[in-house]
């Protein structure tokens, strides 16, 4: 703009300096005055534009570079003031201390069934999640806990998600696909230390922890849907994951689907319904040298993992696929809630022997909680599952505040037997039946700390391949101490 000003000034000077021109033509003088006025107005507008543009650029730079550090609910977070970048640190400690009350003399056929009491870090996690460039979310989480023994460390979750097309979210990486009420709920706020056996077995087919997958998740205020294509588990070559050390030729492929919502709801009540499916389209190929090349195996620990022994187990089934279909139902009114799920699991045999049919298994559970101090469990619309209750009065004895207290009860059953008394040996699956009654009390001193005391009554009815009884009944008491932020 400076050269234009100089040009106009030069032209005006030329007119004024030309002999006889400046003094002889009043019309020319008027035109020159008009040009000078327009020039002055243009220069003023340019100055205003520079000021406003500079202010806008400064504001953008400030938003992009100014960060704030906060701690909300015990979670340290660093974020830019415009919210486009953030990082939240997470940590979880879950220490279980259990005592098993078994019969002094177990049946002669029972081997390696003397469950070991003691202590175990069920989960020991550290990680970070947040946002990059506004619409991209991420989660990086490592776990050093385990079942029966701690692990030397593994990837628990590692995923990237695009959230710019609301209400949908597109995710890829390692994560547990949502496969039911219990599976979708956070383990930090769970009603009991472990998921019901039926729910855990069903989720483990095509989902479960450390599952690699990609898909879409969406939700509104009263609906939730997800469709995930899944692959193998994250391969962990360490002493705590020896099951993953065998060579794999073709990895598993599957699908995890869920549709849920709260069609009935009010100010302080709701009814949740849902359905889910865990489908194995192609089992893992262990190679021609393996005893069972394409294998699926359903097994589970008795809803407590201080001892890692699995008391029900189908053994390896030569399979070309499997499906688990689940139904969800829950209701909440104020500080009382009840939920349950039913699962139907079937396995498609590969090249079955004469007389052998495709096995199927069933399981279900019902559980409920009552918060004695009046708080209610939060229903998370982004996961369509219940979370821990709020803590209205964090523990502070000096002011007569004792945190939130909750009573809990559950009954779960799973039947992994199929044609167990068939005359055709190839048709029989003697995985066993398991029934567990559990009652407990949960104490939340504050939103980051939790203590759980649970009593288990376990009954396992099972025969081995020779037809001898290897089941047992026992009781257990567990105390979990938890810090989660």
């Amino acid at each position: 703009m400076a050269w234009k000003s100089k040009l106009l000034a030069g032209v005006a000077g030329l007119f004024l300096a030309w002999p006889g021109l400046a003094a002889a033509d009043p019309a020319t003088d008027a035109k020159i005055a008009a040009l000078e006025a327009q020039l002055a107005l243009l220069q003023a507008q340019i100055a205003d534009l520079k000021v406003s543009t500079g202010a806008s650029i400064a504001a953008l730079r400030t938003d992009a570079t100014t960060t704030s550090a906060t701690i909300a609910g015990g979670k340290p977070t660093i974020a830019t003031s415009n919210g486009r970048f953030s990082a939240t640190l997470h940590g979880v400690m879950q220490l279980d201390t259990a005592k098993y009350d078994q019969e002094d003399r177990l049946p002669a056929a029972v081997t390696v069934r003397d469950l070991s009491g003691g202590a175990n870090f069920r989960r020991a996690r550290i990680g970070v999640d947040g946002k990059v460039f506004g619409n991209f979310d991420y989660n990086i989480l490592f776990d050093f806990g385990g079942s029966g023994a701690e692990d030397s460390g593994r990837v628990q979750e590692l995923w990237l998600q695009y959230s710019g097309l609301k209400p949908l979210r597109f995710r890829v990486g390692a994560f547990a696909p949502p496969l039911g009420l219990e599976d979708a709920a956070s383990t930090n706020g769970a009603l009991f230390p472990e998921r019901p056996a039926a729910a855990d077995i069903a989720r483990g087919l095509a989902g479960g922890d450390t599952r690699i997958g990609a898909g879409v998740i969406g939700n509104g205020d009263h609906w939730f849907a997800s469709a995930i294509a899944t692959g193998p588990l994250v391969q962990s070559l360490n002493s705590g994951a020896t099951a993953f050390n065998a060579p794999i030729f073709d990895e598993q492929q599957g699908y995890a689907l869920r549709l849920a919502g709260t069609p009935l709801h009010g100010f302080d009540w709701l009814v949740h319904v849902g359905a889910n499916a865990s489908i194995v389209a192609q089992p893992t190929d262990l190679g021609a040298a393996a005893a069972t090349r394409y294998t699926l195996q359903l097994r589970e620990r008795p809803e407590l993992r201080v001892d890692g022994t699995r008391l029900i187990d189908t053994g390896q089934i030569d399979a070309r696929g499997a499906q688990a279909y689940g139904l969800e139902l829950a209701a909440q009114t104020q500080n009382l809630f009840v939920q349950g799920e039913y699962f139907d699991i079937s396995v498609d045999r590969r090249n079955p022997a004469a007389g052998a049919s495709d096995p199927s298994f069933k399981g279900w559970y019902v559980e409920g909680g009552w918060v004695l101090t009046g708080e209610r469990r939060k229903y998370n619309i982004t996961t369509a599952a219940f979370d821990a209750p709020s803590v209205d009065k964090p523990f502070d004895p000096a002011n007569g505040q004792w945190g939130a207290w909750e009573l809990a009860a559950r009954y779960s059953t799973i039947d992994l037997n199929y044609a167990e008394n068939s005359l055709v040996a190839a048709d029989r699956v003697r995985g066993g039946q398991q029934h567990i009654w559990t009652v407990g009390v949960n104490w939340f001193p504050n939103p980051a700390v939790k203590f759980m005391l649970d009593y288990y009554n376990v009954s396992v009815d099972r025969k081995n391949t020779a037809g001898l009884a290897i089941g047992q009944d026992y009781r257990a008491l567990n105390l979990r101490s938890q810090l989660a932020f």
Side-chain angles (χ1 to χ4, degrees), residues 399-415:
N399 292 312
Q401 298 182 180
W402 305 98
W405 290 80
E406 179 182 45
L407 296 181
R410 172 200 284 169
Y411 174 74
S412 75
T413 180
I414 180 70
D415 186 353

Side-chain angles (χ1 to χ4, degrees), residues 64-397:
T65 58
T66 299
T67 60
S68 61
T70 61
I71 298 180
K75 300 177 182 179
T77 299
I78 300 175
T80 57
S81 55
N82 63 359
R84 287 173 53 81
F85 299 86
S86 67
T88 299
L89 181 66
H90 288 276
V92 177
M93 180 207 77
Q94 292 180 347
L95 175 63
D96 286 340
T97 306
K99 172 67 176 177
Y100 294 93
D101 179 18
Q102 296 178 269
E103 299 175 4
D104 292 336
R105 295 184 180 180
L106 298 175
V110 176
T111 58
V112 197
R113 301 292 185 187
D114 186 9
L115 303 180
S116 174
N120 175 55
F121 280 105
R122 176 65 177 92
R123 293 179 178 89
R125 297 177 175 176
I126 187 76
V128 61
D129 67 46
K131 290 181 175 293
V132 290
F133 293 97
N135 290 323
F136 287 91
D137 305 312
Y138 66 91
N139 190 12
I140 304 170
L141 186 65
F142 294 90
D143 192 3
F144 301 87
S147 300
E150 289 75 21
D151 200 288
S152 56
R154 64 183 182 276
V155 172
Q156 180 67 27
E157 293 194 24
L158 186 59
W159 52 260
L160 177 67
Q161 175 176 282
Y162 179 71
S163 305
L165 295 176
K166 298 186 182 302
L168 303 180
R169 306 183 293 279
F170 300 88
R171 183 180 298 182
V172 61
F175 58 95
L179 278 167
L181 260 173
E182 197 73 22
D183 186 30
S186 169
T187 55
N188 296 337
L191 191 62
F192 290 97
E194 301 296 336
R195 299 178 183 89
D200 213 45
I201 289 175
R203 75 189 287 265
L205 284 178
D209 295 337
T210 77
R211 182 71 66 181
I212 296 176
V216 58
I217 302 170
N219 74 276
D221 290 340
H222 301 291
W223 65 270
F224 174 93
S226 63
I228 311 295
T230 66
L233 302 175
V234 174
Q235 301 297 296
S236 301
L237 298 177
N238 59 49
S239 60
T242 54
F244 298 141
N245 293 345
I248 292 176
F249 293 87
D250 284 316
E251 297 175 333
Q252 175 178 300
Q253 296 177 14
Y255 303 95
L257 311 171
R258 186 181 182 222
L259 180 64
T262 54
L264 303 175
H265 53 87
F267 174 72
D268 59 358
W269 63 275
L270 61 84
V271 174
H272 167 105
V273 295
N276 56 77
S278 180
I279 301 170
V280 177
Q282 174 185 300
T284 300
D285 180 4
L286 297 179
T292 305
R293 181 168 182 172
Y294 300 92
T295 181
L296 285 174
Q297 185 172 8
L298 309 183
R299 54 184 181 169
E300 182 60 15
R301 303 171 182 88
E303 300 177 11
L304 180 60
R305 300 194 178 185
V306 172
D307 186 295
T309 305
R310 295 175 171 93
L311 298 181
I312 53 174
D313 189 341
T314 63
Q316 293 185 345
I317 301 174
D318 190 13
R320 58 184 175 85
Q323 309 83 36
Y325 300 106
L327 296 175
E328 314 167 15
L329 181 63
Q332 181 186 49
T333 175
Q334 298 181 359
N335 56 335
L336 176 68
F337 97 102
V338 178
Q339 75 174 41
E341 294 181 88
Y342 173 85
F343 297 93
D344 187 285
I345 306 169
S346 58
V347 178
D348 305 324
R349 293 187 192 268
R350 181 185 300 272
N351 301 321
S357 55
D358 292 338
S360 61
F361 314 98
K362 294 177 174 58
W364 59 273
Y365 76 91
V366 61
E367 66 185 26
W370 178 30
V371 184
L372 300 175
T373 46
E375 296 92 340
R376 58 181 300 178
R377 280 191 163 260
K378 291 170 285 189
Y379 185 82
N380 190 337
I381 62 173
T382 62
T383 60
F386 292 94
D387 209 339
S390 58
V391 182
D392 294 342
K393 298 180 179 180
F395 181 66
D396 184 1

